[in-house]
Amino acid sequence: MAKRTAIVVGATGFTGQHLVKQLCESEEYVAVTIIARRNITYTHAKLDVKIREFDKLEERDFEIADDLFCCLGTTMKKAKTRENFEKVDLEYPLRIASLAKKRGIPNFHVISAAGSSKRSPFFYSRTKGRMEQELIDLKLPHLFIFRPSLLTGGRAEFRLGERLAEGIFQLINPILVGPFRGLRAIEGKQLAFAMYHYAVHGRTMSVNTYKSSDILNARPIEKNDEEPITREELFDWSKRKDIFVEADKMQEQTSDNLLSRKNELF
């Protein structure tokens, strides 16, 4: 498999931190560049860090890469206003995607949310829905949209509402099976792995959407050095000549063994 390179925007966030580590420690990626407003504590030989202001990003800030992962996201509590929220969750991803297209980066991966719709009565879901639609309208070579349900895990900041929701989902996750499995809460680490997994092994349509169930189903692929032999191949003797010893070779080996034995006796 050809080696890949990646750019991660939003690497200091909850999912972005896990994703950077996943990419750096994978065999498929040889170089990972992050574009962030501040440095990160994680270091790796494959990793290059660029400190930039997202309002001032230009095409030259992006190296040629196979994948660009956009992990930007905020909350109304942090944003304070709807305008600031839209800047982070709508304007920045659109600008970054546009610059990536101009730079010739073929694959753009972005985190959205379950229930996203530009017609939603809820501001959060409506903003995510607008982001998705405007990204689709950009006609990127390959767009990967991830729609997780509630994200759980060890966030650096304390969010009371999310902590309460996490507690509830810890109780009900085991009973959410079958058609309800997609409603399960998802750990940020699992979302990061799914983004890496589908970048390497996923579909390659112009628009690829992954729901919560797809994110939960992402699992490491076991590598087998040899393909298993089917029953038909096992008993197809014409394809298994290697198990037979030719008569001439057998006679030659027998003669050599007898001569060796004779020399030992005399």
Side-chain angles (χ1 to χ4, degrees):
M1 182 181 293
K3 298 300 182 181
R4 306 168 74 96
T5 58
I7 299 172
V8 181
V9 183
T12 59
F14 178 52
T15 302
Q17 294 181 57
H18 290 299
L19 179 59
V20 169
K21 185 176 181 181
Q22 176 67 59
L23 295 173
C24 286
E25 294 180 358
S26 71
E27 295 180 358
E28 292 85 0
Y29 287 85
V30 294
V32 179
T33 300
I34 69 169
I35 298 177
R37 286 179 289 194
R38 63 180 187 275
N39 213 335
I40 63 173
T41 57
Y42 177 75
T43 59
H44 196 280
K46 296 181 183 179
L47 188 61
D48 182 34
V49 181
K50 291 185 177 181
I51 306 300
R52 299 287 188 276
E53 289 295 330
F54 296 146
D55 289 315
K56 300 177 182 178
L57 284 175
E58 299 179 7
E59 185 179 338
R60 63 183 180 182
D61 292 321
F62 295 87
E63 304 289 341
I64 297 297
D66 297 287
D67 300 284
L68 196 158
F69 298 90
C70 182
C71 301
L72 293 175
T74 187
T75 63
M76 281 301 299
K77 181 178 179 180
K78 290 180 65 176
K80 307 295 185 184
T81 66
R82 289 191 172 192
E83 290 74 17
N84 288 338
F85 182 87
E86 287 183 338
K87 178 179 286 189
V88 176
D89 281 63
L90 176 62
E91 294 176 18
Y92 286 163
L94 293 175
R95 177 169 177 75
I96 292 165
S98 179
L99 293 172
K101 181 180 180 180
K102 291 179 181 178
R103 198 71 174 98
I105 299 172
N107 304 304
F108 186 81
H109 310 256
V110 67
I111 301 173
S112 184
S116 298
S117 171
K118 62 179 182 179
R119 297 183 179 85
S120 174
F122 304 105
F123 174 71
Y124 177 85
S125 298
R126 188 167 64 250
T127 302
K128 291 294 189 181
R130 287 175 57 197
M131 178 198 69
E132 289 185 16
Q133 187 57 57
E134 293 189 39
L135 284 174
I136 292 172
D137 292 342
L138 279 177
K139 298 189 183 302
L140 302 167
H142 302 290
L143 173 61
F144 298 77
I145 299 172
F146 293 84
R147 292 177 173 172
S149 56
L150 175 71
L151 287 175
T152 63
R155 292 184 185 270
E157 60 182 306
F158 178 78
R159 299 178 180 178
L160 178 60
E162 290 188 2
R163 290 292 175 86
L164 293 173
E166 283 184 27
I168 294 172
F169 272 92
Q170 284 180 355
L171 295 175
I172 67 174
N173 259 10
I175 64 174
L176 293 175
V177 296
F180 301 103
R181 189 170 184 267
L183 299 176
R184 289 183 177 184
I186 298 173
E187 290 190 6
K189 188 175 182 179
Q190 176 62 23
L191 173 57
F193 176 80
M195 296 181 77
Y196 147 77
H197 174 81
Y198 289 119
V200 177
H201 304 290
R203 304 183 294 265
T204 55
M205 296 183 292
S206 56
V207 179
N208 309 273
T209 303
Y210 297 97
K211 301 179 293 184
S212 287
S213 56
D214 300 312
I215 296 169
L216 289 168
N217 287 337
R219 292 288 183 272
I221 295 178
E222 295 183 2
K223 296 180 181 180
N224 294 320
D225 295 333
E226 298 182 1
E227 292 293 327
I229 299 176
T230 63
R231 181 179 178 82
E232 290 74 15
E233 291 175 328
L234 183 64
F235 292 101
D236 186 349
W237 307 121
S238 63
K239 294 183 178 180
R240 304 201 65 210
K241 294 179 181 179
D242 57 302
I243 67 172
F244 297 104
V245 179
E246 295 179 12
D248 291 343
K249 288 184 178 180
M250 180 178 287
Q251 184 176 1
E252 184 177 314
Q253 291 173 357
T254 302
S255 300
D256 290 342
N257 290 337
L258 289 174
L259 180 59
S260 175
R261 184 62 175 165
K262 181 179 179 181
N263 291 335
E264 288 177 2
L265 292 173
F266 295 98

